[in-house]
Amino acid sequence: MTLPHCDSPPTPQETAALRERYRVERDRRVRPEGPGQYRATTAEFGYFATDPYIGEAAEREPLHDVVDVAIVGGGFGGILAGARLRRQGVAKVRVVEKGGDFGGTWYWNRYPGIHCDIESHIYLPMLDETGYVPEWKYSPGEEIRRHAVRIAEQSGLYEDALFSTAVTSLTWDETAHQWVVATDRGDTFRATYVITATGTLSEPKLPGIPGIEDYKGHTFHTSRWDYGYTGGSPEGGLTGLAGKRVGVVGTGATGVQVIPMLAEDAMRLYVFQRTPSAVDVRGQRRMTPREVDADRPGWAAARRENFLRIVSGEEAEEDLVTDRWTESAGLLEKLLPSFRRDGEPDFEAAYEAADHATMNRIRARVTAEVTDPATAAALQPWYRYACKRPTFSDKYLPAFNRDNVVLVDTAGTHGIERMTERGVVVGGVEYEVDCLVFATGFSVGVSGVTSGKLPVAGRDGVQLLQVLAERGPRTLHGFTKNGFPNLIQLGSMQNASSVNFSHILDEQAVHAAALVVAAEEKDALLEPAPEAEDAWIDVCARDAPDHAWFHAECTPGYYNREGRGRPNGPTAYPHGAVAFHDLLRRWREENIDEVLQAKTRAEGR
Ligand code: NDP
């Protein structure tokens, strides 16, 4: 293990002062309601009645057929699972997707300025397989969406896909050894296997600001951008905002991308900020195929593995991506629950010193770029690096030097006070706006299954949500679950994650396809014994790092359940994603039979 790097460690006095400042800033922001301060987005906010990209879905006859695999969700998780299954020769794979096309996050999120802040050459999956080489270091959203479509097309996933369709229930039929899949379009088809890939950022949320319903101006969430109102496209040119007073609530990773674009076209832009983001250098630039060695077979897989090693704290001979993610990799330890302790007594002190130095650099950048001292002071983040998701932009801070942009800082209080028919009230002052954009994020980790919107009934009609509530998460490797045969879950529960989530999803897709192939070859059911789940929980719990104290001291946000701390219990594999992927590979070669259950044995239970 290497200690986090620090060129200019703060003095003990500076450390003490920073700790105190962070504590004061945090205490001002913690709200007693925690995550309960948010509310769901509903049709009354205008944009959920129809899909903004296709309008009303075309009529079609309900389906009552049988497929090999049903995949719930057509984002990267579902697409990759489908692609990996098709490559293994599985014929009938049906992706069911709420949106009008493939893409998931990248289908719904098309706000101006949308890009991925993870390097395109490692974020876009299956570049080796599709032959596509991105042109820019950081891809615009539309390029990512088109790549999702490319993979789906090349994998033949369109043939059986159902779009503009939500799965409404999954019910295991013990006699037929099939899942019955019901949808909101009247389908009831059967599938031997079901893969859930419903995403972790799929449920947009709004702040529960008093009076939010009273606002009479135009409003929408960034994940349902209304180009009919603003004009323009993700590249900008929002001509509909000329002469308009626009407000934007939220300065997280989305706000940081969208605000410079709104600033260009709105007559006046009010940025309502509760907590400033840490905004680091982005360094967007064109990259040649030669630079990434794109002629070499397997170049993309090697590059993303290199990034994963670095951000997981593993040894790597070189840093191929060299951006602020890899530079700050040592500080991601608290962000991802991967095992880094090795008995080094000075680790926490070195870690804190590196953290303070990084945040000092980020704060200094604000003062260097923002000319008005009061605005610069309000844009400085006062918390530790891994408390909130870092952001990256070279356009965000300079946007506040424009005459038409006003930062309305809620001064470390609980946020916007209230809304009126005309606008937003902060500190007793009403800011009238014609349009209010909510860049207020998502109910992170809430999926159809965990919210109860998608009931899953396993063997003997047992409900998955009820089992989760009564016994907590119990899985083998995060994928399979006793009592729910042939159900494979993708996501971030009881496995290992990374900031490059599309890589994680691809490894999960490979694993899911291998599970299906193994069960087919042995004519077996996929279902771990309770003992296998116990053993996996033990593995996750045994070396689980204690990061609870760190998150308890953090400013509120979705990383610490709005100040409530991390949930208890073993929620992740503690040795990091590189080790997890190795473990899965070895398990597939040596132990996959562990999850295969004779159909007759299952019937006799
Ligand atoms: P976030 O949840 O990160 O941010 C929500 C914002 O809304 C915060 O600034 C929050 O303030 C603010 N807010 C919430 N309630 C209020 C209130 N009552 N008054 C004032 N402000 C309020 O959502 P994002 O959409 O920005 O990002 C979500 C995730 O999506 C990211 O963390 C990232 O994982 C992903 N993403 C990835 C991108 C990429 O390039 N890879 C780009 C965009 C998003 P506060 O901080 O005080 O809570």
Side-chain angles (χ1 to χ4, degrees):
M1 184 196 71
T2 48
L3 288 174
H5 173 72
C6 181
D7 279 336
S8 50
T11 63
Q13 291 77 7
E14 285 168 338
T15 298
L18 278 175
R19 280 185 192 163
E20 180 55 14
R21 174 92 195 245
Y22 290 1
R23 191 189 59 72
V24 169
E25 294 283 346
R26 172 194 188 277
D27 289 353
R28 287 204 303 214
R29 288 179 171 85
V30 175
R31 288 175 59 145
E33 321 92 289
Q37 67 184 274
Y38 291 101
R39 48 162 292 160
T41 44
T42 49
E44 64 193 285
F45 285 87
Y47 40 83
F48 273 92
T50 54
D51 179 329
Y53 312 114
I54 58 160
E56 290 293 341
E59 288 293 314
R60 66 168 175 81
E61 289 300 312
L63 293 177
H64 304 287
D65 57 351
V66 181
V67 298
D68 296 321
V69 184
I71 299 177
V72 187
F76 271 134
I79 295 168
L80 290 166
R84 297 297 178 189
L85 284 163
R86 295 302 298 258
R87 277 176 166 70
Q88 293 281 348
V90 179
K92 199 98 176 131
V93 177
R94 172 167 297 148
V95 178
V96 187
E97 164 57 41
K98 280 188 211 165
D101 200 348
F102 286 107
T105 290
W106 303 102
Y107 177 83
W108 293 113
N109 285 274
R110 303 195 197 187
Y111 55 81
I114 184 169
H115 278 75
C116 183
D117 59 16
I118 305 286
E119 194 199 68
S120 53
H121 302 90
I122 58 166
Y123 183 79
L124 294 187
M126 298 187 79
L127 292 179
D128 292 314
E129 291 84 346
T130 55
Y132 184 70
V133 184
E135 189 185 347
W136 291 89
K137 191 161 176 78
Y138 301 101
S139 287
E142 183 58 10
E143 181 183 23
I144 304 172
R145 193 187 69 77
R146 285 204 190 130
H147 187 65
V149 167
R150 178 178 299 117
I151 299 173
E153 276 171 357
Q154 291 190 7
S155 308
L157 295 180
Y158 274 93
E159 207 175 303
D160 285 304
L162 295 179
F163 296 114
S164 309
T165 304
V167 175
T168 49
S169 68
L170 296 168
T171 310
W172 176 247
D173 177 345
E174 183 69 15
T175 316
H177 292 137
Q178 284 172 334
W179 284 95
V180 180
V181 183
T183 78
D184 63 353
R185 306 287 297 272
D187 312 292
T188 35
F189 66 91
R190 286 170 172 268
T192 312
Y193 305 89
V194 168
I195 298 178
T196 56
T198 48
T200 52
L201 295 170
S202 52
E203 300 278 336
K205 65 179 170 26
L206 294 173
I209 302 170
I212 191 170
E213 296 88 354
D214 299 338
Y215 178 61
K216 295 272 191 289
H218 200 76
T219 179
F220 51 87
H221 188 274
T222 45
S223 66
R224 301 291 186 279
W225 195 270
D226 188 350
Y227 284 105
Y229 179 84
T230 65
S233 72
E235 282 87 51
L238 310 173
T239 49
L241 299 183
K244 296 260 167 37
R245 300 159 301 175
V246 179
V248 55
V249 186
T251 53
T254 301
V256 162
Q257 293 185 346
V258 91
I259 285 163
M261 308 298 282
L262 288 171
E264 275 178 27
D265 292 310
M267 177 183 75
R268 180 156 287 258
L269 178 66
Y270 294 104
V271 177
F272 297 101
Q273 170 188 270
R274 187 167 65 177
T275 312
S277 274
V279 187
D280 212 335
V281 172
R282 178 150 170 268
Q284 171 71 313
R285 65 185 176 88
R286 279 209 159 79
M287 287 178 68
T288 62
R290 201 167 167 183
E291 226 179 311
V292 293
D293 219 355
D295 285 339
R296 191 163 56 91
W299 69 273
R303 194 173 178 90
R304 70 181 193 179
E305 192 61 29
N306 173 264
F307 179 86
L308 187 67
R309 292 195 74 81
I310 291 171
V311 296
S312 308
E314 304 278 346
E315 296 296 328
E317 277 180 15
E318 58 182 330
D319 175 0
L320 294 171
V321 171
T322 54
D323 64 2
R324 289 293 158 113
W325 281 112
T326 58
E327 192 181 296
S328 308
L331 295 176
L332 298 178
E333 192 228 13
K334 299 289 191 291
L335 196 59
L336 301 167
S338 53
F339 185 70
R340 292 281 302 270
R341 292 170 299 165
D342 67 350
E344 165 60 68
D346 294 333
F347 177 79
E348 285 305 337
Y351 187 90
E352 187 179 22
D355 187 320
H356 287 171
T358 300
M359 291 304 283
N360 281 342
R361 175 176 61 72
I362 286 171
R363 284 187 286 265
R365 185 180 187 224
V366 182
T367 358
E369 303 231 350
V370 178
T371 44
D372 173 52
T375 306
L379 284 166
Q380 287 189 326
W382 295 99
Y383 46 80
R384 290 182 62 169
Y385 185 75
C387 285
K388 276 195 179 286
R389 189 188 187 279
T391 67
F392 307 86
S393 175
D394 302 331
K395 294 180 181 163
Y396 179 71
L397 296 171
F400 291 93
N401 295 332
R402 299 177 67 115
D403 290 342
N404 65 329
V405 178
V406 180
L407 179 69
V408 184
D409 185 36
T410 62
T413 59
H414 289 173
I416 289 171
E417 231 166 271
R418 65 193 161 86
M419 285 179 65
T420 65
E421 280 187 18
R422 293 171 300 274
V424 174
V425 180
V426 174
V429 178
E430 185 185 51
Y431 296 85
E432 288 188 27
V433 288
D434 303 301
C435 171
L436 189 61
V437 179
F438 286 103
T440 45
F442 304 85
S443 300
V444 177
V446 175
S447 65
V449 173
T450 52
S451 70
K453 275 190 204 161
L454 171 50
V456 182
R459 183 175 289 120
D460 303 324
V462 172
Q463 288 291 327
L464 182 52
L465 195 60
Q466 195 184 338
V467 180
L468 264 173
E470 285 169 6
R471 305 201 61 199
R474 292 177 54 81
T475 67
L476 177 58
H477 303 146
F479 291 90
T480 50
K481 186 163 179 58
N482 181 264
F484 296 83
N486 288 4
L487 176 71
I488 303 173
Q489 301 178 74
L490 307 191
S492 48
M493 187 176 59
Q494 290 187 345
N495 48 41
S497 201
S498 156
V499 292
N500 187 14
F501 199 56
S502 65
H503 182 185
I504 296 299
L505 287 172
D506 198 18
E507 296 281 350
Q508 293 189 2
V510 167
H511 191 72
L515 290 174
V516 168
V517 169
E520 284 297 288
E521 277 173 6
K522 297 267 169 77
D523 192 26
L525 294 178
L526 287 172
E527 187 184 6
E531 297 75 28
E533 295 179 336
D534 289 339
W536 185 242
I537 288 173
D538 271 357
V539 167
C540 292
R542 203 176 313 130
D543 294 323
D546 178 13
H547 290 169
W549 62 270
F550 178 87
H551 291 285
E553 291 172 5
C554 272
T555 191
Y558 75 79
Y559 282 176
N560 69 354
R561 295 190 303 146
E562 304 297 336
R564 297 225 160 142
R566 288 242 160 153
N568 292 325
T571 52
Y573 176 71
H575 302 283
V578 174
F580 181 62
H581 298 159
D582 283 347
L583 178 146
L584 288 183
R585 267 189 286 276
R586 273 200 315 278
W587 180 87
R588 291 199 292 268
E589 282 162 20
E590 297 163 12
N591 266 334
I592 199 164
D593 285 354
E594 184 187 9
V595 79
L596 303 179
Q597 174 97 235
K599 286 180 176 166
T600 45
R601 189 145 53 98
E603 274 158 12
R605 286 159 65 111

